[in-house]
Amino acid sequence: MKFKAKALAGAATLALLSVAPAMAQDVSACLITKTDTNPFFVKMKEGAEAKAAELGVSLKSYAGKVDGDHDSQVAAVEACIADGAKGILIAASDTKAIVDSVKKAQEAGMVVIALDTPLDPADAADATFATDNLEAGKLIGAWAAATLGDEAANAKIGFLNLTPSEPTVDVLRNQGFMMGFGIDVKDPNDIGDEDDPRIVGHDITNGNEEGGRKAMENLLQINPDINVIHTINEPAAVGAYQALKAVGKENDVLIVSVDGGCPGVASVKDGVIGATSQQYPLMMAALGVEAIKKWADEGVKPEPTPGKAFFDTGVALITDKPAEGVPSIDTAKGTELCWG
């Protein structure tokens, strides 16, 4: 690649979102998210900007046009290298394909930290700040099974996943749900290889409402008696609910999800979503900016949570219908902790 020219050309196609005010121009960082519309990544950006302003780090933020827009993320990495940034925080859309770009950044002396979504392989990043997404999936799976009780054995389950590339966050939540629900997971690194007769099917949503609506419509075509839906995130869950409501089935299907944003917690309170696993993206981003500053000042990389391969930023199940044996907090507490 004609490096600098192409980097700058690629950067022109990106959504360059903002630059946090800086007090020290010698420490710069980049935040690269999947989109700038999902509330999760909006909050992640806010957390990064606030911490960058506090620490005097110059921050540039980039995002893909939609979830799954890998090319824009590659162009963003190239722009960050060309700018001489000290580090990159990235929530990768394609966790395998981005690895080569990550290596280029590391070879240029940058520290690369994955946020929310581990790379594949996970150690391709210098560190990962994330929810335990497998545990998030297990919590909503266990809650759904406990809520159904004996009828869990006869469930008809649909999965509204993220993108065809099966990023790690998608796989972890999907497989975690199955483990929590009691489904035999064949290959925990693969979506869709299970043979449990309760599984109606899988579809993709791109993590947004419209995708959730269309995917739900597709699954209803396969089996109109579907009664459990696992969704990759709350925007997809809201879309699924809209599709169900359009055919008068909104009270017949148990929807579970992951994110725990304030709109998502409100959806739990309103009965749109039965339960959701709450994440803390502001914390992920703030810790990531701190880590880049420490790398720039001391050459020290962050350490993972003891016993894990990543720094665990926590997860809590939010529901107003607690199930025996599944730890949870209610929507009042979830509202206190949610992230806007």
Side-chain angles (χ1 to χ4, degrees), residues 133 136-137 140-141 144 157-163 169-175 177-178 191 201-209 211-213 215-216 219 226 228-244 253-260 264 267-268 272-277 279:
N133 283 292
I140 53 175
I157 309 167
F159 291 84
L160 302 192
N161 302 323
L162 190 56
T163 63
V169 67
D170 203 3
V171 175
L172 289 166
R173 295 179 189 179
N174 181 291
Q175 302 292 277
F177 172 89
M178 293 189 191
I191 289 177
H202 297 258
D203 210 323
I204 61 169
T205 67
N206 291 315
N208 60 52
E209 287 188 24
R213 184 185 63 78
M216 186 72 251
L219 291 180
I226 198 165
V228 179
I229 288 291
H230 164 271
T231 65
I232 182 63
N233 64 9
E234 290 155 2
V238 170
Y241 180 83
Q242 292 168 350
L244 291 165
V253 181
L254 193 63
I255 300 176
V256 294
S257 196
V258 178
D259 265 357
S267 290
V268 174
V272 172
I273 301 172
T276 192
S277 288
Q279 306 185 88

Coordinates of all heavy atoms in Angstrom, one line a residue, residues 133 136-137 140-141 144 157-163 169-175 177-178 191 201-209 211-213 215-216 219 226 228-244 253-260 264 267-268 272-277 279:
N133 N -18.6 -11.4 28.1 CA -19.7 -11.6 27.2 C -20.3 -13.1 27.3 O -21.5 -13.3 27.1 CB -19.3 -11.3 25.8 CG -19.3 -9.8 25.6 OD1 -20.3 -9.1 25.6 ND2 -18.1 -9.2 25.3
A136 N -22.4 -12.9 30.3 CA -23.6 -12.1 30.0 C -24.6 -13.0 29.3 O -25.8 -13.0 29.6 CB -23.3 -10.9 29.1
G137 N -24.2 -13.8 28.3 CA -25.1 -14.7 27.6 C -25.6 -15.8 28.6 O -26.8 -16.2 28.5
I140 N -28.6 -14.5 30.8 CA -29.9 -14.3 30.1 C -30.5 -15.7 29.7 O -31.7 -15.9 29.7 CB -29.9 -13.3 29.0 CG1 -28.8 -13.7 27.9 CG2 -29.8 -11.9 29.5 CD1 -28.9 -12.8 26.7
G141 N -29.6 -16.6 29.4 CA -30.0 -18.0 29.1 C -30.6 -18.7 30.3 O -31.6 -19.3 30.2
A144 N -34.0 -17.2 31.2 CA -35.0 -17.6 30.3 C -35.5 -19.0 30.6 O -36.7 -19.3 30.7 CB -34.6 -17.5 28.8
I157 N -36.8 -21.6 20.0 CA -35.9 -20.5 20.2 C -35.3 -20.0 18.9 O -34.8 -20.7 18.0 CB -34.7 -21.0 21.1 CG1 -35.2 -21.7 22.3 CG2 -33.8 -19.8 21.5 CD1 -34.2 -22.4 23.1
G158 N -35.3 -18.6 18.8 CA -34.7 -18.0 17.7 C -33.5 -17.1 18.2 O -33.5 -16.6 19.3
F159 N -32.5 -17.0 17.3 CA -31.3 -16.2 17.6 C -31.2 -15.0 16.6 O -31.0 -15.3 15.4 CB -30.1 -17.1 17.6 CG -30.0 -18.1 18.7 CD1 -30.7 -19.3 18.6 CD2 -29.3 -17.8 19.9 CE1 -30.7 -20.3 19.6 CE2 -29.3 -18.8 20.9 CZ -30.0 -20.0 20.7
L160 N -31.2 -13.8 17.2 CA -30.9 -12.6 16.3 C -29.5 -12.2 16.6 O -29.2 -11.6 17.6 CB -31.9 -11.5 16.7 CG -33.4 -11.9 16.5 CD1 -34.3 -10.6 16.6 CD2 -33.7 -12.6 15.2
N161 N -28.6 -12.6 15.7 CA -27.2 -12.3 15.8 C -26.7 -11.0 15.2 O -27.6 -10.2 14.8 CB -26.4 -13.5 15.3 CG -26.8 -14.9 15.9 OD1 -27.1 -14.9 17.1 ND2 -27.0 -15.9 15.1
L162 N -25.4 -10.8 15.1 CA -24.9 -9.5 14.7 C -24.6 -9.5 13.2 O -25.4 -8.9 12.5 CB -23.6 -9.2 15.5 CG -23.1 -7.8 15.4 CD1 -24.1 -6.8 15.8 CD2 -21.8 -7.7 16.3
T163 N -23.5 -10.1 12.7 CA -23.2 -10.0 11.3 C -22.7 -11.4 10.9 O -22.3 -12.3 11.7 CB -22.0 -9.0 11.1 OG1 -20.8 -9.4 11.8 CG2 -22.4 -7.6 11.6
V169 N -17.8 -11.1 20.0 CA -18.8 -10.7 21.0 C -20.1 -11.4 20.6 O -20.9 -11.8 21.5 CB -19.0 -9.2 20.9 CG1 -19.6 -8.7 19.6 CG2 -19.9 -8.7 22.1
D170 N -20.4 -11.6 19.3 CA -21.6 -12.3 18.9 C -21.5 -13.8 19.3 O -22.5 -14.4 19.8 CB -21.6 -12.2 17.3 CG -23.0 -12.4 16.8 OD1 -24.0 -12.6 17.5 OD2 -23.1 -12.4 15.5
V171 N -20.4 -14.4 19.0 CA -20.2 -15.8 19.4 C -20.3 -16.1 20.9 O -21.0 -17.0 21.3 CB -18.8 -16.4 18.9 CG1 -18.6 -17.8 19.3 CG2 -18.8 -16.3 17.3
L172 N -19.7 -15.2 21.7 CA -19.7 -15.4 23.1 C -21.1 -15.3 23.7 O -21.5 -16.1 24.5 CB -18.7 -14.4 23.8 CG -17.2 -14.6 23.5 CD1 -16.4 -13.4 23.9 CD2 -16.7 -15.9 24.3
R173 N -21.8 -14.3 23.3 CA -23.2 -14.1 23.8 C -24.1 -15.2 23.4 O -24.9 -15.7 24.2 CB -23.7 -12.7 23.4 CG -23.0 -11.6 24.0 CD -23.5 -10.2 23.5 NE -22.6 -9.1 24.0 CZ -22.9 -7.8 23.7 NH1 -23.9 -7.5 23.0 NH2 -22.0 -6.9 24.1
N174 N -24.0 -15.5 22.1 CA -24.8 -16.6 21.5 C -24.6 -17.9 22.2 O -25.5 -18.6 22.7 CB -24.5 -16.7 20.0 CG -25.3 -17.7 19.3 OD1 -25.1 -18.9 19.5 ND2 -26.2 -17.3 18.4
Q175 N -23.3 -18.3 22.3 CA -23.0 -19.6 23.0 C -23.2 -19.6 24.5 O -23.6 -20.6 25.1 CB -21.5 -20.0 22.7 CG -21.2 -20.0 21.2 CD -21.9 -21.2 20.5 OE1 -21.4 -22.3 20.5 NE2 -23.0 -20.9 19.8
F177 N -25.6 -17.9 26.0 CA -27.1 -18.1 26.1 C -27.4 -19.6 26.1 O -28.2 -20.1 26.9 CB -27.9 -17.4 25.1 CG -29.3 -17.7 25.1 CD1 -30.2 -17.0 25.9 CD2 -29.8 -18.8 24.3 CE1 -31.6 -17.3 25.9 CE2 -31.2 -19.1 24.4 CZ -32.0 -18.4 25.2
M178 N -26.8 -20.3 25.1 CA -27.1 -21.7 25.0 C -26.7 -22.5 26.2 O -27.4 -23.3 26.7 CB -26.5 -22.3 23.7 CG -27.0 -21.7 22.4 SD -26.4 -22.6 21.0 CE -27.0 -21.6 19.7
I191 N -21.1 -20.4 15.6 CA -22.6 -20.2 15.7 C -23.3 -21.1 14.7 O -22.9 -21.1 13.5 CB -22.9 -18.7 15.4 CG1 -22.5 -17.8 16.6 CG2 -24.4 -18.6 15.2 CD1 -22.7 -16.4 16.3
G201 N -33.9 -21.2 14.5 CA -33.0 -20.7 13.5 C -32.2 -19.5 14.0 O -32.4 -19.0 15.1
H202 N -31.3 -19.0 13.1 CA -30.5 -17.8 13.3 C -30.7 -16.9 12.2 O -30.9 -17.2 11.1 CB -29.0 -18.2 13.4 CG -28.6 -19.1 14.5 ND1 -28.0 -18.7 15.6 CD2 -28.8 -20.5 14.6 CE1 -27.8 -19.8 16.4 NE2 -28.2 -20.9 15.8
D203 N -30.6 -15.6 12.5 CA -30.6 -14.5 11.5 C -29.7 -13.4 12.0 O -29.4 -13.3 13.2 CB -32.0 -14.0 11.2 CG -32.2 -13.6 9.7 OD1 -31.2 -13.0 9.2 OD2 -33.2 -13.8 9.1
I204 N -29.4 -12.5 11.1 CA -28.5 -11.4 11.5 C -29.3 -10.1 11.5 O -30.3 -9.9 10.8 CB -27.3 -11.3 10.5 CG1 -27.7 -11.0 9.1 CG2 -26.4 -12.5 10.6 CD1 -26.6 -10.7 8.2
T205 N -28.8 -9.1 12.3 CA -29.5 -7.9 12.5 C -28.6 -6.6 12.3 O -29.2 -5.5 12.2 CB -29.9 -7.8 14.0 OG1 -28.8 -7.7 14.9 CG2 -30.7 -9.0 14.4
N206 N -27.3 -6.8 12.2 CA -26.4 -5.6 12.2 C -26.5 -4.8 13.4 O -26.2 -3.6 13.4 CB -26.6 -4.8 10.9 CG -26.1 -5.5 9.7 OD1 -25.0 -6.2 9.7 ND2 -26.9 -5.5 8.6
G207 N -27.1 -5.3 14.4 CA -27.2 -4.7 15.7 C -28.1 -3.4 15.8 O -27.9 -2.6 16.6
N208 N -29.1 -3.4 14.9 CA -30.0 -2.2 14.9 C -31.4 -2.6 14.8 O -31.8 -3.8 14.6 CB -29.6 -1.3 13.7 CG -29.7 -1.9 12.3 OD1 -30.7 -2.5 12.0 ND2 -28.7 -1.8 11.6
E209 N -32.4 -1.7 15.0 CA -33.8 -2.0 15.1 C -34.3 -2.6 13.8 O -35.1 -3.6 13.8 CB -34.6 -0.7 15.5 CG -34.4 -0.3 16.9 CD -35.4 0.8 17.3 OE1 -36.4 0.9 16.6 OE2 -35.1 1.5 18.3
G211 N -32.7 -4.1 11.4 CA -32.2 -5.5 11.3 C -32.9 -6.5 12.2 O -33.2 -7.6 11.8
G212 N -33.2 -6.0 13.4 CA -33.9 -6.9 14.3 C -35.4 -7.2 13.9 O -35.8 -8.3 14.0
R213 N -36.0 -6.2 13.3 CA -37.4 -6.4 12.8 C -37.4 -7.4 11.6 O -38.2 -8.3 11.6 CB -38.0 -5.1 12.3 CG -39.4 -5.1 11.9 CD -39.9 -3.8 11.3 NE -39.2 -3.4 10.1 CZ -39.4 -3.9 8.9 NH1 -40.3 -4.8 8.7 NH2 -38.7 -3.4 7.9
A215 N -35.1 -9.6 10.8 CA -34.7 -11.0 11.2 C -35.8 -11.7 11.9 O -36.0 -12.9 11.8 CB -33.4 -10.9 12.1
M216 N -36.5 -11.0 12.8 CA -37.7 -11.6 13.5 C -38.7 -12.0 12.5 O -39.3 -13.1 12.6 CB -38.3 -10.6 14.5 CG -39.3 -11.1 15.4 SD -38.7 -12.2 16.6 CE -39.3 -13.8 16.0
L219 N -37.6 -15.3 11.0 CA -37.8 -16.4 11.8 C -39.2 -16.9 12.0 O -39.5 -18.0 12.2 CB -37.1 -16.1 13.2 CG -35.6 -16.0 13.2 CD1 -35.1 -15.7 14.6 CD2 -34.9 -17.3 12.7
I226 N -42.6 -19.6 17.5 CA -41.4 -19.3 18.2 C -41.8 -18.6 19.5 O -42.7 -17.7 19.5 CB -40.5 -18.4 17.3 CG1 -39.0 -18.4 17.8 CG2 -41.0 -17.0 17.2 CD1 -38.1 -17.9 16.8
V228 N -39.1 -17.9 22.3 CA -38.0 -17.4 23.0 C -37.0 -16.7 21.9 O -36.8 -17.4 20.9 CB -37.2 -18.4 23.7 CG1 -36.0 -17.8 24.4 CG2 -38.1 -19.1 24.8
I229 N -36.6 -15.5 22.2 CA -35.7 -14.8 21.3 C -34.5 -14.3 22.0 O -34.6 -13.6 23.0 CB -36.4 -13.7 20.5 CG1 -37.4 -14.2 19.5 CG2 -35.4 -12.8 19.8 CD1 -36.8 -14.9 18.3
H230 N -33.3 -14.7 21.6 CA -32.0 -14.2 22.1 C -31.6 -13.1 21.1 O -31.5 -13.4 19.9 CB -31.0 -15.3 22.2 CG -29.6 -14.7 22.3 ND1 -28.8 -14.4 21.2 CD2 -28.8 -14.4 23.4 CE1 -27.6 -14.0 21.6 NE2 -27.6 -13.9 22.9
T231 N -31.3 -11.9 21.6 CA -30.9 -10.8 20.7 C -29.5 -10.3 21.1 O -29.2 -10.2 22.3 CB -31.9 -9.6 20.7 OG1 -31.9 -9.0 22.0 CG2 -33.3 -10.1 20.4
I232 N -28.7 -10.0 20.1 CA -27.3 -9.6 20.3 C -27.3 -8.3 21.1 O -26.3 -8.1 21.9 CB -26.6 -9.4 19.0 CG1 -25.1 -9.0 19.2 CG2 -27.3 -8.4 18.1 CD1 -24.3 -10.0 19.9
N233 N -28.3 -7.4 21.0 CA -28.3 -6.2 21.7 C -29.7 -5.6 21.8 O -30.7 -6.2 21.2 CB -27.3 -5.1 21.2 CG -27.7 -4.7 19.8 OD1 -28.7 -5.0 19.2 ND2 -26.8 -3.9 19.1
E234 N -29.9 -4.5 22.5 CA -31.2 -4.0 22.8 C -31.9 -3.3 21.5 O -33.1 -3.5 21.4 CB -31.2 -3.1 24.0 CG -31.0 -3.8 25.3 CD -30.3 -3.1 26.4 OE1 -30.1 -1.9 26.2 OE2 -30.1 -3.7 27.4
P235 N -31.1 -2.6 20.7 CA -31.8 -2.1 19.5 C -32.4 -3.3 18.6 O -33.5 -3.1 18.1 CB -30.6 -1.4 18.7 CG -29.7 -0.9 19.8 CD -29.8 -2.1 20.8
A236 N -31.6 -4.4 18.5 CA -32.2 -5.5 17.8 C -33.4 -6.1 18.5 O -34.4 -6.5 17.9 CB -31.1 -6.6 17.6
A237 N -33.4 -6.1 19.8 CA -34.5 -6.6 20.6 C -35.8 -5.7 20.4 O -36.9 -6.3 20.2 CB -34.2 -6.6 22.1
V238 N -35.6 -4.4 20.3 CA -36.7 -3.5 20.1 C -37.3 -3.8 18.7 O -38.5 -3.8 18.5 CB -36.3 -2.1 20.2 CG1 -37.4 -1.1 19.7 CG2 -36.0 -1.8 21.7
G239 N -36.4 -4.0 17.7 CA -36.9 -4.3 16.3 C -37.7 -5.6 16.3 O -38.7 -5.8 15.7
A240 N -37.2 -6.6 17.1 CA -37.9 -7.9 17.1 C -39.3 -7.7 17.7 O -40.3 -8.3 17.2 CB -37.1 -8.9 18.0
Y241 N -39.4 -6.9 18.8 CA -40.7 -6.7 19.4 C -41.6 -6.0 18.5 O -42.8 -6.3 18.4 CB -40.5 -5.8 20.7 CG -41.7 -5.5 21.4 CD1 -42.3 -6.3 22.3 CD2 -42.4 -4.3 21.2 CE1 -43.4 -6.1 23.0 CE2 -43.6 -3.9 21.9 CZ -44.1 -4.8 22.8 OH -45.2 -4.5 23.4
Q242 N -41.1 -5.1 17.7 CA -42.0 -4.4 16.7 C -42.6 -5.4 15.7 O -43.8 -5.3 15.3 CB -41.2 -3.3 15.9 CG -40.8 -2.2 16.8 CD -39.8 -1.2 16.2 OE1 -39.2 -1.6 15.1 NE2 -39.5 -0.1 16.8
A243 N -41.7 -6.3 15.2 CA -42.2 -7.4 14.3 C -43.3 -8.3 14.9 O -44.3 -8.6 14.3 CB -41.0 -8.2 13.8
L244 N -43.0 -8.6 16.2 CA -44.0 -9.5 16.9 C -45.3 -8.7 17.1 O -46.4 -9.3 17.0 CB -43.4 -9.9 18.2 CG -42.2 -10.9 18.1 CD1 -41.5 -11.0 19.5 CD2 -42.7 -12.3 17.7
V253 N -43.9 -14.1 23.3 CA -42.5 -14.4 23.1 C -41.6 -13.8 24.1 O -41.8 -12.6 24.4 CB -42.0 -13.9 21.7 CG1 -40.5 -14.3 21.5 CG2 -42.8 -14.6 20.6
L254 N -40.7 -14.6 24.7 CA -39.8 -14.1 25.8 C -38.6 -13.6 25.1 O -37.9 -14.3 24.4 CB -39.5 -15.2 26.7 CG -38.8 -14.9 28.0 CD1 -39.7 -14.0 28.9 CD2 -38.4 -16.2 28.8
I255 N -38.3 -12.2 25.2 CA -37.1 -11.6 24.5 C -36.0 -11.4 25.6 O -36.3 -10.7 26.6 CB -37.5 -10.3 23.8 CG1 -38.5 -10.6 22.7 CG2 -36.2 -9.7 23.2 CD1 -39.0 -9.3 22.1
V256 N -34.8 -11.8 25.3 CA -33.7 -11.4 26.2 C -32.6 -10.8 25.4 O -32.5 -11.0 24.2 CB -33.2 -12.7 27.0 CG1 -34.2 -13.2 28.0 CG2 -32.7 -13.8 26.0
S257 N -31.8 -10.0 26.1 CA -30.8 -9.2 25.3 C -29.6 -8.9 26.2 O -29.5 -9.4 27.4 CB -31.4 -7.9 24.8 OG -30.6 -7.4 23.8
V258 N -28.7 -8.1 25.6 CA -27.4 -7.7 26.3 C -27.2 -6.2 26.0 O -27.4 -5.8 24.8 CB -26.2 -8.5 25.9 CG1 -24.9 -8.0 26.6 CG2 -26.4 -10.0 26.2
D259 N -26.9 -5.4 26.9 CA -26.4 -4.0 26.8 C -26.6 -3.3 28.1 O -25.7 -2.8 28.7 CB -27.0 -3.2 25.6 CG -26.1 -3.3 24.4 OD1 -25.0 -3.9 24.4 OD2 -26.6 -2.7 23.4
G260 N -27.9 -3.1 28.5 CA -28.2 -2.4 29.7 C -28.1 -0.9 29.7 O -27.9 -0.2 30.7
G264 N -32.7 0.5 27.1 CA -32.9 -0.9 27.2 C -33.5 -1.3 28.6 O -34.4 -2.1 28.7
S267 N -37.0 -0.6 28.4 CA -37.7 -1.6 27.7 C -38.0 -2.8 28.6 O -39.0 -3.5 28.5 CB -36.9 -2.0 26.5 OG -36.9 -1.0 25.5
V268 N -37.1 -3.1 29.5 CA -37.3 -4.2 30.5 C -38.5 -3.8 31.4 O -39.4 -4.6 31.7 CB -36.0 -4.5 31.3 CG1 -36.3 -5.5 32.4 CG2 -34.9 -5.0 30.4
V272 N -41.1 -5.0 27.3 CA -40.7 -5.3 25.9 C -39.6 -6.4 25.9 O -39.6 -7.3 25.1 CB -40.1 -4.0 25.2 CG1 -39.5 -4.3 23.8 CG2 -41.3 -3.0 25.0
I273 N -38.6 -6.2 26.8 CA -37.6 -7.2 27.0 C -37.8 -7.8 28.4 O -38.0 -7.1 29.3 CB -36.2 -6.5 26.9 CG1 -36.0 -5.8 25.6 CG2 -35.1 -7.5 27.2 CD1 -34.7 -5.0 25.5
G274 N -37.6 -9.1 28.5 CA -37.8 -9.8 29.7 C -36.6 -9.6 30.7 O -36.8 -9.3 31.9
A275 N -35.4 -9.6 30.1 CA -34.2 -9.4 30.9 C -33.1 -9.1 30.0 O -33.0 -9.5 28.8 CB -33.9 -10.7 31.7
T276 N -32.1 -8.3 30.5 CA -31.0 -7.9 29.8 C -29.7 -7.9 30.7 O -29.8 -7.7 31.9 CB -31.1 -6.5 29.1 OG1 -30.1 -6.3 28.1 CG2 -31.1 -5.4 30.1
S277 N -28.6 -8.2 30.1 CA -27.3 -8.2 30.8 C -26.7 -6.8 30.6 O -26.4 -6.4 29.5 CB -26.4 -9.3 30.4 OG -26.8 -10.6 30.8
Q279 N -24.0 -3.9 30.6 CA -22.5 -3.6 30.4 C -22.2 -2.2 30.9 O -23.1 -1.4 31.1 CB -22.1 -3.8 29.0 CG -22.5 -5.1 28.3 CD -22.0 -5.2 26.9 OE1 -20.9 -5.6 26.7 NE2 -22.8 -4.7 26.0

